[in-house]
Amino acid sequence: MLFKKKIIVDYLYNKFKLDKVSIFRILEVWKTYLFPNIKLIIFSIIYMMLAAVFEALTIRLLQPIFDEVFISKNINMLYFVGIEVIVISAAKGISTYMQEIKLSKVGLDMVKNMQVSLFSHLMKLDISFFNKKSSGDLLNHFIGDVNIVKEAMLNGVTSLVRDTCTIIFMIFLMFYKNFEMALVTFVLFPIAFYPLIYFGKKIRFMTAKQQMSSGGLYGTLAQSFRGIKIIKSYCIEDKETEKINYNAGIISNISYNMTKINSMLSPLMEFFGGVAVAATLSYGGFRIMQGKLSVGGFMVFLFAIVAAYKPLKNLASLNVKVQMGIAALDRIFGLFDTKPLIIDRDTAIDLNVETGRIEVKNLSFSYINGIEVLHNINFLAEPNKTTAIVGASGSGKSTLISLLLRFYDAEDGNIFIDGKDIKDIKIKSLRKNIAFVSQDVVLFDDTIKNNIIFGKNNVKYEEVEEVAKKAAAHDFIMKKENMYEERVGESGMNLSGGQKQMISIARAMLKNAPILLLDEATSSLDSKSEDMVQKSLEKLMEGRTTIVIAHRLSTIINADKIYVFDNGRIVEEGTHKDLLEQNNYYAKLYKLQFKSNL
C-alpha cells in the first residue's frame, strides 16, 4: 500500500510539479470524498474505455469506406459498413451517456459531502474565528472553491482515463497504418502543448487571487443586503455601489488576464498543430503518389490524428485545471486545518446541575493581548436568586456572559458551577443547562414556530403556544396571515425589534434550563410589552439561577444582588437599596436614568 502511495505521489510531483503538501491533500480528498463511490468510478472508467474503443473502431471504418466503397464501388461493402457505423455509434453513445451520469453522481456527492464536512468543522470552531472571517468569504469556500476542486478532480479522472485511452488507440492505429508517418507526427505534435504547461502555474496564482477577491465581493454584498435600511436612511446607496464596483472590478481584471492567457493558448496550439498536420499531409500525399499508401489508409491515419488532437489538448490542459483545483484546495484545507482553541478536556464530565450556584474567582480576560476587558472579577450568583449586572457600555458585562457560556476562555481565574470548574465540564453539556437571551436577537429565515422550538425535538404545538403567551408574543403572532407558520424572513426582517425579542424570550422559556442568562432581554420592548414580559420573566426565574444584564435599572430593582461594573472591574455590589444608600456610582446611574424618564 505504501509502495503504491509513493508511486502516486512521485507521478503527481513529476507530472504537475506539485509540492508534497498539495499532493497529500489531493490524496486525502480522494480517500474521503471519492473512494466511497469507487464502484461508480470504476464503472465510469469502464464506460470511458469502451467509448474510446468505439471511437477507434469508427475511424478504422474509414479505410473500407474510401478504398472499397468510394474507389472500388463495392455495393455490398457499403451496406455492411453502414450497419457497422450505426451499431458502433449507438454503442459509443450509450457508453458516453453511462460514463457521464455515473461521474456526475460522483461529483454531486463529492460537493455535498465536502460542504457538509466543511460546515460541520466550522460549527466546532470558536466564536473568535467567526469574528475574523467574513460571511462572504466563507460562502465562497462553500460554493466556489468546492466546485473548482470537484471540476479539477473529475476532469483529472476523465482526462487520465478516457482521453489517455483514446490517444493510445489512435496511436496504435497510426503506427499500425504507417510506422514512418507516425514517427514524423510524434516528433512535431508535442511542441503544440508546451504553452499549456508553461502557463499552468500562472493560472494557479490567478485562481487563488480571484477566489480571494470573490470572497470580498460576497462579503460586501451580504453586508449591504443585511444593512439595506441603514444604507437607505443615510442615503449612501451610491457609496455602497462604488464598493461593489471596486470589488467586482478586481475580479473582472483578474478574469480578463486569465482569459488572455487561455485565449493565447488555443491559437498557439492550433498553429503548432497545423504545422504537424501539414507535415503529415505532405508526407502522406508523397507516399500515395508513390503508390505505397492507399487513400483509405491515409484517411484513417489523418482522422486518427484529428481524433487524438482534442484528447491530447485536454490532457495537456489538465495541468491548468489541476493548478486551479490546488489553489481552491489550499483555501479549503486552510479552514480544515484551523483547530478550535476551546475544546473538551479528556477528563471532561457532563454537568448535572444540583443547585446552580455560580462562582467566579479572580477572573481576568483580554480579547487582544495586553488590553484587559475584565480584571480580577469575583462574582457569586446564588441558586434560586436573581443576580444583576449593571454598568456603562463597554464595561465588560456581556463579556462575562460569553465566558460563562465558554464562547471564550479566560487567561486567569476560574468559573465554577456547583463547585465544578466549567473547563472540566463538556461544552455541550454546559450550554444545554443554560438558557440565553441576548440583546442582539438572532432569528433564522424559518417559521415563527421553528424559531421558538429551535434546538428542541418533539415539541407539541400547545407548548409553543404556552411559552409564546408567557413571552407576550401570542397576540401579535395570531395577527399574522399564517400565524405560527409565518416566516420571519432573513434575520427576522419581517418582525419589529420588540417582536423579535419576544420570540427570543419564548425560545429561552421553552428550553427550560436551570440557569438563565438575560443580556438586556427587554431592551427592544415598549413599556407595555416590557411590563408583560417582565412578569413572565419573573415567573421563569423561579427555581433558577438567573443572571441579568440590565441597561434599564428599573428592571432589576428587586434583584437579590447587584454587581456594578466599570472599565472591567467590579466597583460596587449589594441590593438596590444598599447601593442607593452608598450614594456612589450606582446611585448616580440610577438618578441619571430617573431624571431622563421624567
Side-chain angles (χ1 to χ4, degrees):
M1 186 68 181
L2 289 173
F3 178 70
K4 288 182 180 179
K5 193 170 185 180
K6 185 179 184 304
I7 292 174
I8 295 171
V9 170
D10 290 341
Y11 171 78
L12 292 172
Y13 179 77
N14 294 322
K15 172 71 177 175
F16 303 108
K17 304 302 179 188
L18 301 178
D19 56 89
K20 294 295 177 72
V21 173
S22 297
I23 292 171
F24 281 105
R25 283 176 175 174
I26 291 173
L27 295 178
E28 182 64 25
V29 170
W30 262 94
K31 176 184 173 184
T32 307
Y33 303 107
L34 292 172
F35 191 77
N37 273 327
I38 192 64
K39 289 183 179 179
L40 285 176
I41 294 172
I42 290 171
F43 277 116
S44 181
I45 288 172
I46 292 171
Y47 286 119
M48 287 181 201
M49 295 172 71
L50 287 173
V53 170
F54 294 130
E55 178 79 12
L57 289 175
T58 302
I59 292 174
R60 182 190 63 80
L61 289 175
L62 290 172
Q63 183 163 2
I65 289 173
F66 278 91
D67 291 344
E68 299 294 329
V69 178
F70 293 164
I71 296 175
S72 301
K73 313 296 183 182
N74 187 337
I75 190 69
N76 293 326
M77 182 59 71
L78 174 64
Y79 298 140
F80 179 74
V81 170
I83 293 170
E84 272 195 295
V85 168
I86 293 172
V87 172
I88 291 173
S89 298
K92 181 186 172 185
I94 293 170
S95 298
T96 303
Y97 169 77
M98 294 301 294
Q99 168 252 308
E100 287 180 355
I101 63 170
K102 290 187 181 299
L103 208 59
S104 173
K105 180 69 169 69
V106 172
L108 293 172
D109 283 351
M110 176 187 172
V111 169
K112 180 199 74 173
N113 293 331
M114 186 174 281
Q115 287 174 336
V116 171
S117 295
L118 190 56
F119 183 81
S120 176
H121 177 73
L122 291 175
M123 289 297 99
K124 296 172 185 175
L125 297 183
D126 308 319
I127 295 294
S128 57
F129 169 84
F130 294 95
N131 291 340
K132 297 172 186 175
K133 275 278 189 181
S134 74
S135 58
D137 198 27
L138 293 175
L139 282 173
N140 194 37
H141 289 310
F142 273 88
I143 301 169
D145 288 336
V146 169
N147 278 288
I148 289 174
V149 170
K150 181 204 78 171
E151 290 299 320
M153 292 292 181
L154 296 188
N155 279 331
V157 173
T158 303
S159 288
L160 289 174
V161 178
R162 185 187 64 195
D163 294 334
T164 300
C165 287
T166 300
I167 292 166
I168 289 171
F169 291 133
M170 296 307 156
I171 290 172
F172 175 79
L173 266 179
M174 284 186 273
F175 276 97
Y176 176 73
K177 290 301 174 185
N178 194 295
F179 188 83
E180 292 177 2
M181 281 178 61
L183 286 178
V184 171
T185 302
F186 278 89
V187 168
L188 296 172
F189 252 95
I191 301 172
F193 302 102
Y194 176 74
L196 283 170
I197 298 168
Y198 175 77
F199 287 111
K201 287 190 176 180
K202 289 189 176 182
I203 292 289
R204 175 178 174 180
F205 172 76
M206 288 182 179
T207 301
K209 196 172 179 181
Q210 184 185 47
Q211 289 301 98
M212 290 177 66
S213 300
S214 296
L217 176 62
Y218 293 158
T220 304
L221 286 170
Q223 289 182 65
S224 298
F225 294 146
R226 283 198 302 268
I228 188 64
K229 290 181 181 178
I230 297 296
I231 290 170
K232 287 186 173 295
S233 65
Y234 280 83
C235 302
I236 58 171
E237 295 94 336
D238 291 341
K239 188 175 181 180
E240 290 300 301
T241 303
E242 286 176 11
K243 288 182 184 178
I244 296 300
N245 182 52
Y246 174 75
N247 287 320
I250 293 174
I251 297 171
S252 177
N253 289 334
I254 296 170
S255 298
Y256 178 64
N257 288 330
M258 291 175 70
T259 301
K260 285 198 294 186
I261 291 177
N262 285 324
S263 299
M264 187 193 307
L265 292 175
S266 187
L268 282 172
M269 290 185 66
E270 294 293 337
F271 172 75
F272 288 118
V275 171
V277 170
T280 304
L281 282 170
S282 300
Y283 184 77
F286 179 71
R287 300 293 285 175
I288 290 173
M289 286 186 281
Q290 287 183 324
K292 296 182 179 180
L293 181 67
S294 70
V295 174
F298 176 71
M299 293 306 296
V300 169
F301 190 92
L302 184 62
F303 274 88
I305 293 175
V306 173
Y309 181 74
K310 184 179 178 181
L312 269 170
K313 187 177 177 181
N314 291 340
L315 207 55
S317 65
L318 181 60
N319 181 51
V320 174
K321 293 172 183 174
V322 168
Q323 298 297 343
M324 292 174 67
I326 290 298
L329 202 58
D330 288 342
R331 285 164 53 83
I332 291 173
F333 270 86
L335 293 182
F336 277 124
D337 291 342
T338 303
K339 303 300 179 187
L341 300 175
I342 301 172
I343 58 176
D344 288 329
R345 291 175 173 172
D346 293 337
T347 56
I349 59 172
D350 287 322
L351 175 61
N352 181 23
V353 177
E354 297 171 358
T355 63
R357 185 177 189 270
I358 300 173
E359 186 176 8
V360 178
K361 288 186 178 180
N362 307 317
L363 191 73
S364 297
F365 176 74
S366 305
Y367 288 109
I368 303 172
N369 289 337
I371 305 175
E372 280 193 337
V373 179
L374 293 175
H375 177 74
N376 198 33
I377 299 296
N378 288 280
F379 175 97
L380 181 64
E382 296 285 0
N384 304 322
K385 293 185 179 180
T386 299
T387 305
I389 304 173
V390 300
S393 297
S395 60
K397 306 184 299 295
S398 295
T399 298
L400 180 60
I401 296 295
S402 293
L403 292 171
L404 283 168
L405 286 160
R406 286 199 74 192
F407 292 155
Y408 305 92
D409 275 342
E411 297 91 350
D412 299 306
N414 305 88
I415 301 174
F416 299 92
I417 296 178
D418 288 341
K420 301 179 183 70
D421 191 324
I422 62 171
K423 291 181 181 178
D424 294 323
I425 296 168
K426 292 179 181 178
I427 296 171
K428 283 190 176 182
S429 177
L430 170 71
R431 293 171 185 167
K432 283 180 180 178
N433 282 280
I434 299 174
F436 175 51
V437 180
S438 170
Q439 59 181 321
D440 301 318
V441 180
V442 176
L443 297 182
F444 297 86
D445 188 9
D446 204 336
T447 64
I448 291 175
K449 182 187 73 175
N450 287 340
N451 271 283
I452 292 175
I453 66 175
F454 190 75
K456 294 204 70 168
N457 298 318
N458 303 319
V459 179
K460 296 179 180 178
Y461 175 83
E462 292 77 14
E463 297 177 81
V464 176
E465 190 176 85
E466 182 182 353
V467 294
K469 287 178 179 177
K470 288 181 179 178
H474 179 71
D475 289 344
F476 89 76
I477 293 173
M478 296 306 291
K479 292 177 183 177
K480 297 289 183 181
E481 182 179 356
N482 299 308
M483 295 178 285
Y484 282 86
E485 296 302 322
E486 183 82 9
R487 296 190 74 88
V488 303
E490 186 176 356
S491 300
M493 64 184 299
N494 296 332
L495 304 177
S496 68
Q499 289 172 341
K500 288 192 284 187
Q501 193 66 279
M502 291 177 190
I503 298 297
S504 179
I505 292 169
R507 179 195 293 165
M509 288 178 169
L510 187 64
K511 189 173 184 180
N512 197 28
I515 297 171
L516 180 64
L517 305 179
L518 304 174
D519 187 355
E520 300 191 29
T522 60
S523 61
S524 299
L525 304 179
D526 56 42
S527 299
K528 182 180 178 181
S529 297
E530 182 180 11
D531 289 340
M532 295 171 63
V533 173
Q534 194 63 40
K535 291 176 183 177
S536 299
L537 289 176
E538 288 171 4
K539 188 173 182 182
L540 178 64
M541 292 174 189
E542 293 176 3
R544 290 177 172 80
T545 303
T546 305
I547 298 176
V548 181
I549 292 177
H551 175 69
R552 299 178 190 174
L553 302 187
S554 59
T555 62
I556 48 94
I557 289 174
N558 297 322
D560 297 289
K561 194 167 188 178
I562 300 171
Y563 286 89
V564 184
F565 278 48
D566 183 35
N567 291 321
R569 300 170 185 266
I570 295 177
V571 294
E572 290 182 276
E573 60 181 89
T575 64
H576 172 72
K577 183 179 179 183
D578 294 338
L579 293 172
L580 285 181
E581 289 175 354
Q582 292 175 24
N583 198 32
N584 288 321
Y585 189 83
Y586 178 85
K588 291 177 184 177
L589 284 176
Y590 185 76
K591 289 173 184 177
L592 185 64
Q593 283 195 15
F594 180 75
K595 286 181 182 179
S596 66
N597 290 331
L598 290 177

